[in-house]
Amino acid sequence: MARIIDGKKISLQIKDELKERVQALKEKGREVTLAVIQVGEDPASSVYVRNKKKGCEYIGIGSLSYELPEDIPMQELLALIGELNEREDVNGILVQLPLPSHMDEDAVIRAISPQKDVDGFHPQSVGALCIGQPGFVSCTPAGIIQLLKRSGIEIAGKECVVLGRSNIVGKPMGILLLRENGTVTIAHSKTENLKEVTSRADILIAAVGKPKMVTREYVKEGAVVIDVGINRDGDNKLCGDVDFEDVEPVCSAITPVPGGVGPMTIAMLLYNCVASAG
Ligand code: GUN
């Protein structure tokens, strides 16, 4: 029987710690505010944005909400970001992704001041992470490091395999595990002998976006399995990249979907917002 790593509980611990820090900042006369921009009405994005705003409320920081029409010209979005960059009362700026296809996502991310880039997506933030300098760290991988540490799971010296190489999760995840002295492999769709590679892992992070792809043949007995996926299965039920029922009996610890990595992303976004205010 594997230990179930409870992301909901650990994220609540982090949010309660942040609540205290926000209170202390308030006593020094400092307010924290996150600006959240959503373009269009993608239903999944609307849920994420709503949860981010609820998180702000919970820890006692302000949120400004911008809901822009799907067909807004990119220049108008860039102008709004420019204004928010200048505003001293705004500490963090978040543009919910994905953006409509007429927009250049990279250009939008680059427009956000690295000092307010609480998502950690700006090339300057990513570069700083790679060379161990201060900067915002992408929230999902940062949340996974917290899940592991707060569950007492040792990273140093362990074989860590990250399945998936996205800019938001896979790549920063690899760098963060390396920073914690893990021995890191990033595997992907072109990796040969994939099951052999993932079966070396003491810590396996699945971030491929394929429902229930990771079955027990991919997992070493006793491994720690972290599931980043949020997918729908054949019955339209929420599921991860890991086939939980199949893998749980062979691993030592595993994150569920929902209630594993998901809540940690928001907790770390809030952490970055509070950090941006000092
Ligand atoms: N879309 C899916 N995940 C994220 C995230 O962490 N941040 C932003 N801005 N958009 C997302």
Side-chain angles (χ1 to χ4, degrees):
M1 274 287 281
R3 173 154 58 115
I4 309 297
I5 299 175
D6 187 344
K8 235 175 145 172
K9 190 167 134 196
I10 296 173
S11 70
L12 193 59
Q13 270 174 12
I14 292 174
K15 285 191 284 187
D16 285 335
E17 291 163 15
L18 290 172
K19 212 180 203 175
E20 285 186 20
R21 278 178 60 191
V22 169
Q23 191 53 39
L25 283 169
K26 279 188 181 159
E27 280 159 20
K28 286 195 269 177
R30 305 204 55 172
E31 293 285 337
V32 186
T33 301
L34 169 68
V36 180
I37 305 172
Q38 183 180 355
V39 185
E41 290 169 10
D42 173 61
S45 289
S46 299
V47 173
Y48 292 136
V49 163
R50 197 172 333 121
N51 286 337
K52 287 169 186 178
K53 288 191 275 195
K54 271 205 264 182
C56 289
E57 255 172 62
Y58 183 84
I59 67 163
I61 70 176
S63 66
L64 296 174
S65 195
Y66 297 88
E67 286 158 26
L68 308 180
E70 177 93 18
D71 58 357
I72 193 171
M74 186 171 84
Q75 287 310 323
E76 285 188 35
L77 173 60
L78 295 179
L80 172 61
I81 293 171
E83 270 171 44
L84 294 169
N85 282 339
E86 295 300 318
R87 274 178 65 165
E88 285 190 7
D89 61 329
V90 171
N91 309 92
I93 303 170
L94 181 148
V95 179
Q96 187 64 28
L97 303 178
L99 288 168
S101 55
H102 68 279
M103 293 208 183
D104 175 352
E105 220 159 76
D106 292 339
V108 171
I109 290 169
R110 274 198 309 274
I112 299 171
S113 159
Q115 276 69 45
K116 299 189 179 186
D117 172 38
V118 285
D119 258 328
F121 294 168
H122 192 286
Q124 188 173 312
S125 308
V126 179
L129 170 65
C130 289
I131 57 175
Q133 290 186 3
F136 291 113
V137 178
S138 181
C139 303
T140 300
I144 291 169
I145 296 291
Q146 285 301 310
L147 272 185
L148 294 170
K149 285 190 169 175
R150 289 173 186 246
S151 303
I153 293 162
E154 179 84 27
I155 303 170
K158 300 295 180 205
E159 287 279 351
C160 305
V161 177
V162 181
L163 188 48
R165 54 175 158 179
S166 69
N167 290 339
I168 294 182
V169 182
K171 285 179 197 153
M173 188 74 254
I175 302 286
L176 281 179
L177 289 164
L178 187 60
R179 197 161 86 174
E180 298 295 331
N181 299 312
T183 302
V184 179
T185 304
I186 300 185
H188 48 79
S189 54
K190 301 285 191 296
T191 298
E192 288 182 4
N193 305 319
L194 184 60
K195 288 178 188 169
E196 254 173 59
V197 173
T198 58
S199 295
R200 289 203 298 262
D202 299 308
I203 300 172
L204 176 61
I205 317 276
V208 271
K210 295 215 166 99
K212 299 188 182 178
M213 177 191 145
V214 176
T215 53
R216 65 173 65 189
E217 297 95 78
Y218 289 79
V219 179
K220 178 168 82 175
E221 193 167 342
V224 172
V225 180
I226 305 291
D227 190 351
V228 185
I230 303 178
N231 314 296
R232 297 270 168 190
D233 68 10
D235 302 325
N236 206 32
K237 216 177 131 226
L238 210 58
C239 72
D241 292 347
V242 177
D243 185 337
F244 186 92
E245 272 73 39
D246 194 50
V247 169
E248 187 269 339
V250 299
C251 64
S252 64
I254 186 166
T255 59
V257 176
V261 172
M264 294 302 292
T265 300
I266 294 184
M268 298 317 288
L269 170 72
L270 299 170
Y271 176 91
N272 282 348
C273 291
V274 176
S276 72

CSV table of all heavy atoms in Angstrom, one decimal, residues 17 25 28 38 63 120 123 141 145 186 201 223 230 234 241:
chain,number,residue,atom,x,y,z
A,17,GLU,N,0.6,29.5,6.3
A,17,GLU,CA,1.9,30.2,6.6
A,17,GLU,C,1.9,31.6,5.9
A,17,GLU,O,2.4,32.6,6.4
A,17,GLU,CB,3.1,29.4,6.1
A,17,GLU,CG,3.3,28.1,6.9
A,17,GLU,CD,4.2,27.1,6.2
A,17,GLU,OE1,4.9,27.5,5.2
A,17,GLU,OE2,4.2,25.9,6.6
A,25,LEU,N,3.0,41.7,7.0
A,25,LEU,CA,3.3,42.8,6.0
A,25,LEU,C,2.3,43.9,6.2
A,25,LEU,O,2.7,45.1,6.1
A,25,LEU,CB,3.2,42.3,4.5
A,25,LEU,CG,4.4,41.4,4.0
A,25,LEU,CD1,4.0,40.8,2.7
A,25,LEU,CD2,5.6,42.3,3.8
A,28,LYS,N,3.1,46.3,8.8
A,28,LYS,CA,4.1,47.2,8.4
A,28,LYS,C,3.6,48.2,7.3
A,28,LYS,O,4.4,48.9,6.6
A,28,LYS,CB,5.4,46.5,7.8
A,28,LYS,CG,6.2,45.8,8.9
A,28,LYS,CD,7.5,45.4,8.4
A,28,LYS,CE,7.5,44.0,7.9
A,28,LYS,NZ,8.7,43.5,7.3
A,38,GLN,N,-7.4,37.4,-18.0
A,38,GLN,CA,-7.9,36.2,-18.8
A,38,GLN,C,-8.4,36.8,-20.2
A,38,GLN,O,-9.1,37.8,-20.2
A,38,GLN,CB,-9.0,35.5,-18.1
A,38,GLN,CG,-9.5,34.3,-18.9
A,38,GLN,CD,-10.6,33.5,-18.2
A,38,GLN,OE1,-11.0,33.8,-17.1
A,38,GLN,NE2,-11.1,32.5,-18.9
A,63,SER,N,-6.8,41.1,-5.3
A,63,SER,CA,-6.6,40.6,-6.7
A,63,SER,C,-7.4,41.6,-7.6
A,63,SER,O,-8.5,42.0,-7.3
A,63,SER,CB,-7.0,39.2,-6.9
A,63,SER,OG,-8.4,39.0,-6.7
A,120,GLY,N,6.7,32.8,-13.2
A,120,GLY,CA,8.1,32.4,-13.5
A,120,GLY,C,8.3,31.9,-14.9
A,120,GLY,O,9.1,31.1,-15.2
A,123,PRO,N,11.7,34.7,-19.9
A,123,PRO,CA,13.0,34.1,-20.1
A,123,PRO,C,14.0,34.5,-19.0
A,123,PRO,O,14.9,33.7,-18.7
A,123,PRO,CB,13.4,34.7,-21.5
A,123,PRO,CG,12.1,35.0,-22.1
A,123,PRO,CD,11.1,35.4,-21.0
A,141,PRO,N,6.2,23.1,-10.8
A,141,PRO,CA,7.4,22.4,-10.3
A,141,PRO,C,7.9,22.8,-8.9
A,141,PRO,O,8.3,21.9,-8.1
A,141,PRO,CB,8.5,22.7,-11.4
A,141,PRO,CG,7.9,23.6,-12.4
A,141,PRO,CD,6.5,23.7,-12.1
A,145,ILE,N,8.4,20.2,-5.6
A,145,ILE,CA,9.5,20.2,-4.6
A,145,ILE,C,9.0,20.3,-3.2
A,145,ILE,O,9.4,19.6,-2.3
A,145,ILE,CB,10.5,21.3,-4.9
A,145,ILE,CG1,11.2,21.1,-6.3
A,145,ILE,CG2,11.6,21.4,-3.8
A,145,ILE,CD1,12.1,19.9,-6.5
A,186,ILE,N,15.5,13.8,-18.2
A,186,ILE,CA,14.2,14.2,-18.8
A,186,ILE,C,13.9,13.4,-20.0
A,186,ILE,O,14.6,13.3,-21.0
A,186,ILE,CB,14.3,15.7,-19.2
A,186,ILE,CG1,14.6,16.6,-17.9
A,186,ILE,CG2,12.9,16.2,-19.8
A,186,ILE,CD1,14.6,18.1,-18.2
A,201,ALA,N,13.7,5.1,-12.1
A,201,ALA,CA,13.5,6.3,-11.2
A,201,ALA,C,13.1,5.9,-9.8
A,201,ALA,O,12.3,5.0,-9.5
A,201,ALA,CB,12.3,7.1,-11.8
A,223,ALA,N,9.1,3.1,-5.9
A,223,ALA,CA,9.3,4.5,-6.3
A,223,ALA,C,8.3,5.4,-5.8
A,223,ALA,O,7.2,5.0,-5.3
A,223,ALA,CB,9.3,4.5,-7.9
A,230,ILE,N,-3.7,16.5,-15.7
A,230,ILE,CA,-5.2,16.7,-15.5
A,230,ILE,C,-5.9,16.4,-16.8
A,230,ILE,O,-5.8,17.3,-17.7
A,230,ILE,CB,-5.4,18.2,-15.0
A,230,ILE,CG1,-4.6,18.5,-13.8
A,230,ILE,CG2,-6.9,18.4,-14.7
A,230,ILE,CD1,-4.8,20.0,-13.3
A,234,GLY,N,-12.0,8.0,-20.7
A,234,GLY,CA,-13.0,7.6,-21.6
A,234,GLY,C,-14.4,7.9,-21.1
A,234,GLY,O,-15.4,8.1,-21.9
A,241,ASP,N,-1.9,11.5,-15.5
A,241,ASP,CA,-1.1,10.8,-16.5
A,241,ASP,C,-0.8,9.4,-16.1
A,241,ASP,O,-0.2,8.6,-16.8
A,241,ASP,CB,0.2,11.6,-16.8
A,241,ASP,CG,0.0,12.9,-17.4
A,241,ASP,OD1,-1.1,13.1,-18.0
A,241,ASP,OD2,0.9,13.7,-17.5
